[in-house]
Amino acid sequence: MGASTGAGGAAKAQRAAQVEELRGLIRGSAGMVFMDTLGLDSLETFELRKSLRPSGARLKIVKNRLMRKACEGEGADGCLGWLTQTTAVAFAQSDVVSTIKVLTTYAAEHEKVKFKGGMVEGRAVAPAELKTLAALPGRHELLTSVAVGLKAVLQRGARDFKGVYVKMVVAARAAAQNIPS
């Protein structure tokens, strides 16, 4: 009887560690996307994980009961309704939109992947809203457009400054030669 109690205690400790790991992922993520991936084989799941790496996201196939405990402890109660059947969660570390874009593209190619919903900035988001977010430009695209805009402003300022500088040099030479300009 003592041996079975020890094994039960070890299993309970392992589940507690899994809940803490999930809580850590929730705390460290900018958003989460919940999906049903029933029917994906291990190679397809590997491809999905691989496609998420560049966006800085992490995919976990979760036990609903453990994920429920983790969500309740982290104020992510809005996702509890999605914890049914097979659940995979993509934890977006920084750029949620890029993660959603990758998942949307993957789901379009693999009909077995179905969106259940997501958590973005602490707010529950329906599958239709996830598709709308996927149409937005990602963080990298937005930063690129800001950089291009700043570059144009700086180039215009440099060109204007050069014109003022040239006029000052001409005026200084004229004053040095005592010629009215």
Side-chain angles (χ1 to χ4, degrees), residues 63-86:
K63 291 186 177 182
N64 292 325
R65 196 183 64 192
L66 299 180
M67 187 65 184
R68 182 172 282 112
K69 284 184 179 184
C71 288
E72 287 170 347
E74 292 301 321
D77 298 341
C79 65
L80 297 179
W82 303 318
L83 297 173
T84 59
Q85 299 176 338
T86 305

Side-chain angles (χ1 to χ4, degrees), residues 26-107:
I26 293 168
R27 274 186 235 117
S29 67
M32 301 179 286
V33 179
F34 293 77
M35 301 163 288
D36 183 355
T37 58
L38 184 65
L40 283 186
D41 60 31
S42 60
L43 179 61
E44 291 169 322
T45 304
F46 173 77
E47 289 172 356
L48 177 55
R49 283 188 169 107
K50 185 178 171 183
S51 67
L52 284 169
R53 278 187 207 129
S55 70
R58 184 169 174 198
L59 181 75
K60 294 276 290 176
I61 309 298
V62 298
K63 291 186 177 182
N64 292 325
R65 196 183 64 192
L66 299 180
M67 187 65 184
R68 182 172 282 112
K69 284 184 179 184
C71 288
E72 287 170 347
E74 292 301 321
D77 298 341
C79 65
L80 297 179
W82 303 318
L83 297 173
T84 59
Q85 299 176 338
T86 305
T87 305
V89 183
F91 296 92
Q93 299 304 313
S94 58
D95 189 359
V96 182
V97 174
S98 291
T99 300
I100 294 170
K101 284 178 183 246
V102 169
L103 293 171
T104 302
T105 301
Y106 192 86

Side-chain angles (χ1 to χ4, degrees), residues 132-173:
T132 302
L133 287 172
L136 295 174
R139 180 177 186 270
H140 180 72
E141 294 155 334
L142 287 173
L143 289 174
T144 300
S145 64
V146 167
V148 167
L150 286 174
K151 181 182 175 190
V153 168
L154 291 173
Q155 284 177 333
R156 190 174 30 233
R159 192 174 48 246
D160 293 346
F161 181 73
K162 184 179 179 185
V164 169
Y165 174 75
V166 169
K167 287 179 183 177
M168 286 177 54
V169 168
V170 169
R173 284 185 183 159

